[in-house]
C-alpha cells in the first residue's frame, strides 16, 4: 500500500540537482525552489515542486505542515568515519598540543595502537552501543548516511568482530551505516611476521569471509611512512580488485604517494590529501577517484587543510567527510568542519554542500541519495531559517530542527518521535 506524505512549505528547498560531479561550482548554479514541498511515497521521493500544486494534485497525501521559515537540504553523507572504537585518546591530544607530533606519539605506544588495545578490550555489546550513540548524534545533526571503518581490530578475529559490530549497529539506528574494512590501518604490533605476511594473511583469509558473511564490499588502506608503502599495498589491492571490492585509500596525509596508488587502482576515493602537491592534484582531477577532504583531522592535529580549492579548480570531484575518530578527529561534527573548510579554502556554499551530499554519496558509489529528486531516497534535513546561506554562515551552530530518513521523521526538535 502506498503511503504519501507531503512536507512543506519550505521557504527554500535546495535539491542539489543539475550540478556536476567534478570541478568548481558557483552559488549561482544552485537551484533554490521557493514555497516548495517534498512529496514522499514510502521511503522515496515521488516529487519535488511547488507546495500548493503538490497539495492540489495529491489531495490524499498526509500533510506535514512547516510553520514559519524553513530550508530543506538533502540528508548529509559522511563518507569517512571511524566511529566504532573503544576508549578515548584525550591524553594523545594533550601531548600533541604540548609539542609532540602524531608520529612521535604513535612510535611511543600511543596513537592508533592504543585505540586497537581499547577496542579489543571492549565487548561487542559495548561497541554496538557506542557506535549507535555516535551515529544517532550525527543523524540528529543531519547526516543520514555514515561510512564506518574497522581498523581498530587488526587481526582476523578482531576485524570480523568490528565489522559484525558495524553491521549490527546499522540495524539499531535509522541512519544507514556503510562499512569498510581497514585491516591495513597499521602493522599490528603483536603480529609475528613481516608486513607482507600480514597483508597476505588478511587478503587470503579475511577477504573471502567478508564476502561470505556480507560484512563489507569496501577495502581501505593507510598508505604512509608509519603504515604501508604503495609497493606493499599493491598485491593487497590487486587481490581486492580481483574479488570485486571497492577500494578507498587514506592518502597523502603526511607524505605523498597514496593518491597515485589510489588512481592506479581506480579507487572510489582518496581521502586526506593534506600533503598533496599540484602533481597529485592534477592526477586526481584527471581520474574518476573522488578526492575527500577531512577538515576534522586538520583541526584535530592542528595541521593544514586539504587543498580543496586547488582540487576543484583543477577539475577534481571534492567530497568532505568528518573522519570522526578518537585520535586525529575527535570532534565529529561534519557541518561545522565543512563550513570551516569553506572559510579557509574559499569554497562556494554550493561546493561545500555538494561535498557533503551527492559528491560524498558518489564516493560511496551510492546513486540513490545526496539529491532531492524523484526516485531518490527521502533523506533530508530541515533548518529553521529563511535563507540557506545562514546554514554555513553559522558554522555548525545552526542545527536541523527535523531530519527525515527513508521517508520517516526520525528527529524532530520539538517532539522526538
Ligand atoms: O584517518 N590516518 C589514519 N587513520 C585515522 C586516524 C586514526 C587514529 O588516529 O586513530 C585518520 O586520521
Ligand atoms: Fe580516517
Amino acid at each position: 500500500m502506498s503511503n504519501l506524505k507531503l512536507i512543506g512549505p519550505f521557504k527554500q528547498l535546495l535539491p542539489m540537482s543539475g550540478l556536476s560531479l567534478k570541478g568548481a561550482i558557483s552559488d549561482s548554479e544552485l537551484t533554490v525552489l521557493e514555497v516548495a514541498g517534498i512529496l514522499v511515497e514510502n521511503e522515496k521521493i515521488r516529487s519535488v515542486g511547488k507546495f500548493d500544486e503538490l497539495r492540489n494534485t495529491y489531495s490524499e497525501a498526509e500533510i506535514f505542515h512547516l510553520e514559519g521559515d524553513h530550508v530543506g537540504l538533502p540528508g548529509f553523507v559522511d563518507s569517512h568515519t571511524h566511529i566504532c572504537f573503544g576508549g578515548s585518546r584525550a591524553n594523545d591530544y594533550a601531548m600533541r598540543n604540548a609539542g609532540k607530533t602524531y608520529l612521535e606519539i604513535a612510535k611511543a605506544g600511543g596513537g592508533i595502537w592504543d585505540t586497537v588495545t581499547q577496542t579489543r578490550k571492549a565487548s561487542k555489546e559495548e561497541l554496538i552501543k557506542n557506535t549507535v550513540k555516535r551515529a544517532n548524534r550525527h543523524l540528529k545533526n543531519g547526516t543520514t548516511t555514515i561510512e564506518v571503518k574497522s581498523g581498530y581490530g587488526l587481526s582476523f578475529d578482531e576485524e570480523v568482530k568490528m565489522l559484525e559490530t558495524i553491521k549490527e549497529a546499522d540495524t539499531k539506528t535509522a541512519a544507514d551505516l556503510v562499512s569498510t574494512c581497514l585491516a591495513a590501518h597499521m602493522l599490528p604490533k603483536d603480529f609475528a611476521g613481516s608486513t607482507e605476511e600480514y597483508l597476505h594473511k588478511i587478503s587470503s583469509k579475511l577477504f573471502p569471509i567478508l564476502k561470505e558473511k556480507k560484512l563489507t564490499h569496501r577495502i581501505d588502506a593507510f598508505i604512509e611512512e608509519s603504515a604501508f608503502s604503495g609497493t606493499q599495498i599493491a598485491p593487497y589491492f590487486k587481490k581486492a580488485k580481483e574479488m570485486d571490492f571497492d577500494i578507498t585509500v587514506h592518502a597523502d596525509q603526511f607524505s605523498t604517494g597514496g593518491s597515485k596508488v589510489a588512481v592506479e587502482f581506480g579507487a572510489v576515493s582518496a581521502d586526506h590529501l593534506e600533503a598533496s602537491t599540484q602533481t597529485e592534484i592534477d592526477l586526481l582531477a584527471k581520474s574518476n577517484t573522488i578526492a575527500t577532504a577531512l577538515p576534522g583531522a586538520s583541526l584535530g592535529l592542528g595541521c593544514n587543510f586539504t587543498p580543496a580549492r586547488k582540487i576543484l579548480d583543477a577539475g577534481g570531484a571534492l567530497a568532505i567527510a568528518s573522519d570522526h575518530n578518537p585520535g586525529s578527529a575527535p570532534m565529529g561534527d561534519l557541518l561545522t568542519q565543512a563550513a570551516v573548510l569553506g572559510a579557509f579554502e574559499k569554497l562556494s556554499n554550493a561546493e561545500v554542500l555538494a561535498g557533503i551530499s551527492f559528491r560524498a554519496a558518489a564516493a560511496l558509489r551510492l546513486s540513490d541519495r545526496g539529491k532531492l529528486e524523484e526516485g531518490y531516497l527521502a533523506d533530508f534535513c530541515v533548518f529553521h531559517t529563511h535563507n540557506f546561506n545562514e546554514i554555513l554562515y553559522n558554522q555548525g551552530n545552526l542545527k536541523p530542527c527535523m531530519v527525515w530518513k527513508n521517508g520517516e521523521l526520525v528527529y524532530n526538535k520539538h517532539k522526538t518521535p
Side-chain angles (χ1 to χ4, degrees):
M1 208 188 65
S2 95
N3 165 14
L4 284 181
K5 291 170 193 156
L6 175 61
I7 299 102
F10 290 90
K11 174 95 177 163
Q12 295 181 331
L13 186 63
L14 275 72
M16 301 303 289
S17 301
L19 301 169
S20 62
L21 180 62
K22 295 179 75 173
I25 315 174
S26 71
D27 284 344
S28 61
E29 291 176 71
L30 281 172
T31 298
V32 181
L33 304 174
E34 294 184 343
V35 203
I38 304 178
L39 184 75
V40 170
E41 183 171 25
N42 301 320
E43 78 280 12
K44 291 198 173 152
I45 295 174
R46 168 88 172 263
S47 186
V48 165
K50 285 275 176 218
F51 182 76
D52 286 345
E53 282 171 24
L54 290 169
R55 189 176 45 191
N56 294 341
T57 316
Y58 301 95
S59 52
E60 72 277 30
E62 185 186 354
I63 308 249
F64 286 77
H65 205 271
L66 299 176
E67 295 295 339
D69 290 344
H70 290 86
V71 171
L73 294 177
F76 304 135
V77 176
D78 192 343
S79 61
H80 182 140
T81 85
H82 309 245
I83 60 169
C84 180
F85 62 85
S88 157
R89 299 236 300 279
N91 294 344
D92 279 19
Y93 185 76
M95 271 195 276
R96 262 201 320 273
N97 292 348
K100 292 247 181 299
T101 68
Y102 184 74
L103 297 179
E104 278 167 359
I105 294 167
K107 277 182 190 146
I112 296 169
W113 188 249
D114 186 23
T115 300
V116 171
T117 311
Q118 311 270 6
T119 306
R120 286 180 179 179
K121 258 193 236 153
S123 68
K124 219 165 155 180
E125 290 62 41
E126 210 179 316
L127 282 178
I128 292 168
K129 196 177 100 207
N130 287 327
T131 306
V132 169
K133 202 165 135 193
R134 292 177 192 121
N136 284 340
R137 169 161 73 86
H138 298 322
L139 181 68
K140 217 170 117 174
N141 291 340
T143 304
T144 45
T145 299
I146 309 167
E147 185 261 15
V148 188
K149 298 176 195 297
S150 63
Y152 294 128
L154 305 191
S155 71
F156 176 88
D157 289 341
E158 296 292 335
E159 284 291 309
V160 168
K161 174 182 144 198
M162 281 199 77
L163 289 160
E164 283 177 349
T165 296
I166 297 164
K167 193 170 176 177
E168 183 132 3
D170 183 41
T171 67
K172 296 185 185 325
T173 171
D176 281 337
L177 305 188
V178 177
S179 65
T180 304
C181 175
L182 180 57
H185 202 179
M186 66 179 276
L187 178 66
K189 293 193 173 186
D190 57 353
F191 182 74
S194 66
T195 301
E196 287 73 12
E197 283 164 341
Y198 173 69
L199 293 173
H200 178 73
K201 185 169 173 203
I202 294 292
S203 60
S204 58
K205 226 181 131 206
L206 183 62
F207 285 7
I209 301 293
L210 301 182
K211 285 276 168 188
E212 192 187 305
K213 292 191 163 188
K214 294 194 170 41
L215 289 177
T216 187
H217 64 276
R218 292 165 45 87
I219 301 292
D220 192 352
F222 186 18
I223 300 185
E224 191 54 59
E225 234 182 75
S226 60
F228 302 97
S229 71
T231 316
Q232 287 167 335
I233 277 303
Y236 187 76
F237 276 172
K238 189 163 171 276
K239 178 83 182 186
K241 276 207 87 113
E242 279 164 15
M243 295 183 70
D244 217 21
F245 285 103
D246 284 344
I247 288 173
T248 174
V249 186
H250 277 70
D252 302 358
Q253 184 178 12
F254 303 108
S255 58
T256 56
S259 53
K260 185 162 170 270
V261 179
V263 171
E264 273 165 16
F265 280 91
V268 287
S269 75
D271 305 17
H272 273 295
L273 311 172
E274 294 90 335
S276 298
T277 69
Q278 197 61 45
T279 310
E280 289 74 35
I281 291 169
D282 290 338
L283 204 65
L284 284 163
K286 278 195 216 93
S287 75
N288 291 323
T289 299
I290 309 265
T292 305
L294 306 174
S298 304
L299 292 169
L301 297 174
C303 66
N304 54 309
F305 288 107
T306 302
R309 179 74 268 146
K310 287 185 178 163
I311 291 170
L312 288 163
D313 288 344
L318 181 87
I320 305 168
S322 75
D323 194 19
H324 188 190
N325 75 70
S328 58
M331 181 211 287
D333 190 323
L334 179 63
L335 189 56
T336 300
Q337 295 164 5
V340 168
L341 182 75
F344 275 82
E345 280 292 310
K346 303 296 168 224
L347 308 180
S348 68
N349 280 351
E351 288 164 339
V352 174
L353 295 175
I356 57 176
S357 60
F358 70 94
R359 286 178 166 177
L364 299 177
R365 280 220 295 140
L366 295 171
S367 51
D368 60 352
R369 65 197 76 193
K371 293 186 187 191
L372 301 175
E373 283 177 18
E374 184 187 342
Y376 276 65
L377 288 178
D379 294 359
F380 53 95
C381 46
V382 183
F383 292 82
H384 197 6
T385 180
H386 64 292
N387 173 3
F388 75 89
N389 282 328
E390 290 283 339
I391 297 168
L392 294 173
Y393 167 65
N394 274 277
Q395 298 189 316
N397 198 33
L398 180 64
K399 307 274 188 222
C401 60
M402 269 184 188
V403 179
W404 292 72
K405 173 75 189 110
N406 293 342
E408 298 292 336
L409 179 58
V410 293
Y411 172 67
N412 184 351
K413 187 180 170 189
H414 308 290
K415 193 164 51 118
T416 305

